[in-house]
């Protein structure tokens, strides 16, 4: 199908354009309007008669009036695309129920009742992948945030906590494995080749944590003994052909369980912990109590099919979902405005876990790089929102980098101010006080205040104010004291034109460039618009190292000389500060060059300074290769875009890309000897050597530099690396470089790669992504051709993201001056929205940055948003993102 000519597209067709109507605004849900649900549902019993085409669900709800809520003589039960078969109250059929849009309204007169509701659903037709749906012959569920209402009528909100008892029945040959939350209590065979399984979860939970899986699965299993002696059966369930790629996931789960006991004192509380890998999944994974459902991408890994980064991602996501057992399940959120309560806290926990598993320095840099690439642009655009939003139309649109990653940074700041031990006292108090409850962000803050002995009154602004604070730095030396003058500002964001000063903790030290002496680190807190801090100097030519370890998610504005930045990059004792100095050296040059502020001599001098710093990194024998690889990485074009689009200046993506590639080419030319030497050393490190991960990272960085300045040499080396590779990291790294080059080796290796892995969906995803991300001059046409490939489908989120989200993240192609990249992504949104609105909506945000870009491209981006806004029947998910992008 040519999505550019889909009949839903009004552009280019005056009749369709005239007929298109903007849908009625979905209702706005506000945090201030929260009210407790008038009925408690302490118990729900579910019975499933399973089938791919049709599944019948009978739910029995015990309902009791909620003494803490306003009284109501009806109960409202949410539903979505359900066929209602019958309603009973206290065992008797009733007909006095009514429907309000999709919701079922049932009159209730007494203090307690039993409701029985029978519904039928069509899993195979459920392309939204929310509720119960079919995936490769199996049945699975996704209920967060509002998917349970697509299974049965229910008060589908996180503050209604129930114990669940579930019976599943179905054909044994089709669904030999029947899984659900909790522990299995019974199973057996039935007549006509059918069988059943019964499950009970003793821990009250909200409906979004319900899960069910039925299919032909096998498990990789191992026990884990908790610190109190409970033996837990840990299972990774997959299709039989995927079993051999689950060892890493199983080991990661057991490491996570042990770490959480040791670090946060949290022990697992059921006899089973099941993880199921599903190929059709909107998200990365879901923490359903006792039955996690995972995207296969975050379960399956072996050296031949997964990169070093893939192995790290599997470990991190496995840990994240396990840690939710306490920070999300045992203590859940009262309403969806509190989403960061569970997600921000759990992201921090998985980051700390990964630091302990893989090393703190490199992991911290990786986390900051993700924050700057995803969350900083979000905070600077029309979709900016606090980590605890005040309103929404569609909650799925708030599963964002702000809620997750910035939320983690906010809680990390509390940990920095309290110290590790006192922070642990605060989290212990939080878990003890709110176990079994639906809590709020304020509950968490109070527990940290009381447990850690902190005053967080002003700090609460981090929960209510959007935007990334900017801290300007000036220094005055007075004898053996340096006065650090700091000034903060928080940019205006949609709905928040004025901001109050934030409490910003910063780790600082003052070093001496003249003597090389390194100063002692201190923690200071800037809690006013301006502040002056006196710090001891370590010697002559003092240089301030600030926001060490990235203590706060802020932008530091300072004017250090190239010599000062070079000194920090080479000598600072804080690894992040070294990385930051190298980034800052490159950012200053690239932004000034892209803005046309440098003459030829200044451009040459800037490139020379960066090249000298890079040479020092390459030849520093004391550096670990993992850290060397981070220091070698240039600022991303996304980060440069944000650095350029400040105050009165607009970003020019074309100029940014050109200058960055020219800098890479200059370094490839001047550092050719050093690059080839280090590459040869790294290439000789065996795959199973502990140093291999860092060596492979450095080798890939070197190939990327050489490709910009020595393309023929890079193509030759990359082709040899591809042919000799005994692991996916080397093979993918080589192919990534080849994809951007017009060389015969490119097409040959792409064909070899596809033929080798054509039956492995996750690796075919890589094949699509590498081409969509390439700097090849014909990438747009290549992406259009790939969209017609037999292996491409709009019905699988992984495959859609592998091609089109990769393309939207390709700064050269997406920001093509003629607007063709913007048009392509708008075409994708139009075609995808009727199939999977949640996935479609996530493609809107790249277009929403139009206000921060130069006028020519801005007009074209805005035109595509206006085109989308005119589509008749746009989903609530996509409509909200489009209208906010235009209005914000």
């Amino acid at each position: 199908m040519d999505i550019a000519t889909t009949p839903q597209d009004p552009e280019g067709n005056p009749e369709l354009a005239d007929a298109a109507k903007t849908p009625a605004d979905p209702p706005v849900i506000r945090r201030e309007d929260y009210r407790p649900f008038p009925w408690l549902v302490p118990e729900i019993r579910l019975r499933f008669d399973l089938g791919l085409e049709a599944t019948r669900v009978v739910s029995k709800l015990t309902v009791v009036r909620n003494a803490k809520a306003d009284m109501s003589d009806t109960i409202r039960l949410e539903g979505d695309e359900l066929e209602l078969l019958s309603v009973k109250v206290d065992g008797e059929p009733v007909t006095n129920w009514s429907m309000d849009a999709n919701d079922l309204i049932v009159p209730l007169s007494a203090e307690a009742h039993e409701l029985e509701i029978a519904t039928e659903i069509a899993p195979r037709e459920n392309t939204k992948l929310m509720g119960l749906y079919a995936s490769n012959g199996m049945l699975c569920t996704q209920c967060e945030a509002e998917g349970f209402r697509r299974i049965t009528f229910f008060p589908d909100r996180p503050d209604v906590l129930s114990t669940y008892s579930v019976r599943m029945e179905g054909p044994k040959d089709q669904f030999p494995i029947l899984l659900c939350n909790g522990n299995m209590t019974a199973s057996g065979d039935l007549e006509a080749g059918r069988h059943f399984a019964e499950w009970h979860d003793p821990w009250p939970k909200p409906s979004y944590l319900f899960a069910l899986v039925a299919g032909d699965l096998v498990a990789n299993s191992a026990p884990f003994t908790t610190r109190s002696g409970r033996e837990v059966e840990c299972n990774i369930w997959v299709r039989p052909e995927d079993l051999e790629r689950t060892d890493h996931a199983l080991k990661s789960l057991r490491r996570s369980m042990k770490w959480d006991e040791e670090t946060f004192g949290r022990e697992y509380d059921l006899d089973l912990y099941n993880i199921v890998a599903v190929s059709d999944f909107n998200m990365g994974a879901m923490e359903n109590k006792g039955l996690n459902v995972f995207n296969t991408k975050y379960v399956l890994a072996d050296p031949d099919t997964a990169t070093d980064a893939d192995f790290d991602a599997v470990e991190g996501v496995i840990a994240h979902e396990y840690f939710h057992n306490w920070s999300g399940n045992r203590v859940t959120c009262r309403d969806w405005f509190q989403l960061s309560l569970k997600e921000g806290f759990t992201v921090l926990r998985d980051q700390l876990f990964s630091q302990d598993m893989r090393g703190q320095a490199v992991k911290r840099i990786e986390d900051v790089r993700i924050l700057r690439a995803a969350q900083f642009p979000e905070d600077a655009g029309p979709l900016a929102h606090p980590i605890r939003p005040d309103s929404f139309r569609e909650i799925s649109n708030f599963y964002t980098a702000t809620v997750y990653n910035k939320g983690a940074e906010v809680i990390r700041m509390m940990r920095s101010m309290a110290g590790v031990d006192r922070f642990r006292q605060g989290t212990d108090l939080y878990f003890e006080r709110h176990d079994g409850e639906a809590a709020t962000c304020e509950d968490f803050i109070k527990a940290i205040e009381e447990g850690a002995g902190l005053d967080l009154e002003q700090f609460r602004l981090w929960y209510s104010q959007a935007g990334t604070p900017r801290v300007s730095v000036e220094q005055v030396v007075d004898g053996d004291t340096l006065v650090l003058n700091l000034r903060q500002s928080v940019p205006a964001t949609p709905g928040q034109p004025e901001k109050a000063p934030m409490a910003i903790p910063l780790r600082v030290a003052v070093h001496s460039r003249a003597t090389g002496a390194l100063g002692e680190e201190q923690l200071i807190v800037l809690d006013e618009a301006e502040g002056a801090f006196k710090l001891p100097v370590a010697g002559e030519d003092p240089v301030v190292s600030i926001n060490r370890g990235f203590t706060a998610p802020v932008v530091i504005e300072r004017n250090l000389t190239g010599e000062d930045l070079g000194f920090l990059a080479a000598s600072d004792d804080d690894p992040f500060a070294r990385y930051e100095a190298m980034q800052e050296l490159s950012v200053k040059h690239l932004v000034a060059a892209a803005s046309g502020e440098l003459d030829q001599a200044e451009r040459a001098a800037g490139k020379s300074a960066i090249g000298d710093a890079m040479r020092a990194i390459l030849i520093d024998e004391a550096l670990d290769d993992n850290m060397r690889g981070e220091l070698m990485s240039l600022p991303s074009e996304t980060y440069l875009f944000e650095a350029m689009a400040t105050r009165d200046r607009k970003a020019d993506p074309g100029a940014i890309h050109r200058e960055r590639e020219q800098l890479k080419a200059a370094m490839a030319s001047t550092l050719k000897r050093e690059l080839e030497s280090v590459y040869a050393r790294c290439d000789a490190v065996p795959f199973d050597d502990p140093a291999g991960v860092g060596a492979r990272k450095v080798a890939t960085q070197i190939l990327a530099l050489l490709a910009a300045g020595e393309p023929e040499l890079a193509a030759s080396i990359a082709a040899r690396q591809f042919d000799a590779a005994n692991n996916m990291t080397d093979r993918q790294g080589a192919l990534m470089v080849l994809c951007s080059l017009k060389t015969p080796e490119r097409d040959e290796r792409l064909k070899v790669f596809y033929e080798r892995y054509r039956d492995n969906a996750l690796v075919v995803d890589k094949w699509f992504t590498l081409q969509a991300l390439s700097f090849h001059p014909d990438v747009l046409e290549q992406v259009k051709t790939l969209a017609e490939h037999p292996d491409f489908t709009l019905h699988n989120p992984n495959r859609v993201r592998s091609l089109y989200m990769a393309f939207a993240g390709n700064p050269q192609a997406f920001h093509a001056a003629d607007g063709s990249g913007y048009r392509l992504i708008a075409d994708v949104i139009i075609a995808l929205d009727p199939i999977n609105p949640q996935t479609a909506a996530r493609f809107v945000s790249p277009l929403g940055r139009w206000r921060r870009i130069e006028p020519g491209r801005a007009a074209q981006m805005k035109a595509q948003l206006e085109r989308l806004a005119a589509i008749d029947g746009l989903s609530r998910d996509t409509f909200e993102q489009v209208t906010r992008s235009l209005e914000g």
Side-chain angles (χ1 to χ4, degrees), residues 206-436:
S207 55
Y208 81 84
L209 290 173
F210 172 78
L212 174 158
V213 175
D216 185 7
L217 301 166
V218 295
N220 190 353
S221 306
F224 177 83
T225 303
T226 69
R227 61 181 181 177
S228 67
R230 176 198 291 269
E231 185 165 298
V232 180
E233 180 184 328
C234 300
N235 300 306
I236 310 291
W237 294 92
V238 295
R239 295 179 301 175
E241 60 268 29
D242 293 330
L243 185 64
E244 63 184 11
R245 293 189 286 151
T246 59
D247 284 348
H248 179 64
L250 185 59
K251 291 175 183 177
S252 298
L253 172 60
R254 297 172 77 238
R255 283 195 293 266
S256 304
M257 299 173 84
K258 185 174 187 294
W259 183 90
D260 209 22
E261 289 184 349
E262 295 172 347
T263 307
F264 280 92
R266 300 299 107 193
E267 183 177 335
Y268 189 60
D269 50 12
L270 289 169
D271 300 329
L272 284 172
Y273 194 97
N274 287 318
I275 291 174
V276 180
V278 177
S279 57
D280 298 292
F281 204 68
N282 283 336
M283 300 292 188
M286 181 60 210
E287 71 267 20
N288 317 297
K289 182 73 177 182
L291 178 57
N292 291 182
V293 179
F294 268 63
N295 191 318
T296 50
K297 180 177 181 179
Y298 296 108
V299 171
L300 306 179
D302 65 12
D304 184 56
T305 61
T307 65
D308 296 330
D310 293 331
F311 274 86
D312 291 344
V314 168
E315 181 179 67
V317 177
I318 291 277
H320 180 95
E321 304 309 327
Y322 174 74
F323 297 152
H324 265 313
N325 186 60
W326 277 92
S327 52
N329 298 2
R330 287 284 288 266
V331 184
T332 192
C333 47
R334 185 195 72 180
D335 53 68
W336 291 120
F337 298 103
Q338 320 297 329
L339 182 58
S340 195
L341 172 72
K342 73 182 187 77
E343 295 301 347
F345 187 23
T346 305
V347 169
L348 174 64
R349 278 153 51 73
D350 80 55
Q351 289 176 350
L352 296 174
F353 166 76
S354 294
Q355 286 180 190
D356 287 348
M357 297 300 107
R358 301 194 280 115
Q360 180 175 350
V362 169
K363 173 58 179 169
R364 186 64 184 134
I365 292 170
E366 291 174 356
D367 292 337
V368 174
R369 188 165 58 241
I370 292 170
L371 184 81
R372 286 173 167 170
Q375 197 280 321
F376 275 23
E378 191 169 86
D379 242 352
L383 303 180
H385 56 276
I387 65 171
R388 183 185 57 200
D390 292 320
S391 66
F392 62 80
R393 287 192 172 104
E394 173 51 59
I395 183 54
S396 66
N397 288 333
F398 281 87
Y399 284 74
T400 62
T402 295
V403 166
Y404 279 65
N405 302 79
K406 186 177 181 179
E409 295 297 326
V410 169
I411 299 174
R412 185 186 287 264
M413 285 189 285
M414 296 187 206
R415 185 172 182 265
S416 296
M417 292 186 292
V420 174
D421 293 339
R422 289 198 298 154
F423 181 74
R424 166 67 188 273
Q425 292 172 14
T427 59
D428 283 351
L429 179 60
Y430 167 70
F431 288 127
E432 177 185 346
R433 182 179 286 173
H434 298 290
D435 187 11

Side-chain angles (χ1 to χ4, degrees), residues 12-74:
N13 187 325
E15 293 181 1
L16 286 176
D18 291 340
K21 302 173 185 177
T22 301
D25 284 7
V28 176
I29 301 169
R30 303 184 188 281
R31 181 167 59 90
E32 64 185 15
D33 294 335
Y34 169 81
R35 299 292 184 274
F37 192 65
W39 297 89
L40 303 176
V41 187
E43 181 182 5
I44 176 173
R45 286 161 289 163
L46 292 164
R47 179 166 178 162
F48 289 85
D49 186 354
L50 298 170
L52 293 173
E53 305 299 333
T55 289
R56 180 168 177 157
V57 184
V58 177
S59 61
K60 293 184 178 181
L61 285 61
T62 300
V63 299
V64 180
R65 290 194 185 276
N66 185 354
K68 297 180 180 179
D70 296 336
M71 186 172 178
S72 175
D73 58 1
T74 64

Side-chain angles (χ1 to χ4, degrees), residues 459-526:
F459 189 84
R460 284 169 167 81
L461 288 171
W462 283 99
Y463 281 84
S464 59
Q465 290 191 163
T468 302
R470 310 185 78 85
V471 178
S472 62
V473 181
E474 294 181 355
Q475 64 187 54
V476 178
V477 179
D478 184 9
D480 59 357
T481 300
L482 182 144
V483 179
L484 190 64
N485 295 308
L486 304 179
R487 181 182 300 110
Q488 66 163 293
S489 63
V490 186
T493 53
Q496 294 184 341
E498 302 293 334
K499 305 294 177 72
M502 313 275 268
I504 302 174
L506 298 165
R507 290 195 180 101
V508 300
V510 183
H511 306 320
S512 169
R513 181 159 62 87
T515 66
L518 303 178
E520 184 176 347
E521 182 177 276
Q522 299 184 39
L523 179 68
I524 61 176
V525 179
L526 176 65

Side-chain angles (χ1 to χ4, degrees), residues 705-770:
L705 288 174
L706 289 174
E710 302 284 342
E712 293 183 2
L713 174 62
S716 174
I717 296 174
R720 288 201 307 270
Q721 176 175 305
F722 181 94
D723 294 343
N726 63 355
N727 63 87
M728 179 54 73
T729 305
D730 282 342
R731 190 171 292 115
Q732 178 177 303
L735 191 57
M736 175 196 71
V737 169
L738 290 171
C739 277
S740 292
L741 301 175
K742 294 191 74 170
T743 174
E745 291 91 341
R746 174 190 187 275
D747 295 336
E748 293 167 5
R749 270 57 178 195
L750 277 170
K751 182 178 179 181
V752 169
F753 190 87
Y754 175 77
E755 291 299 329
R756 176 172 180 151
Y757 295 110
R758 64 185 308 160
D759 295 325
N760 186 310
L762 292 178
V763 184
V764 173
D765 286 341
K766 294 177 182 293
W767 183 75
F768 279 101
T769 294
L770 289 169

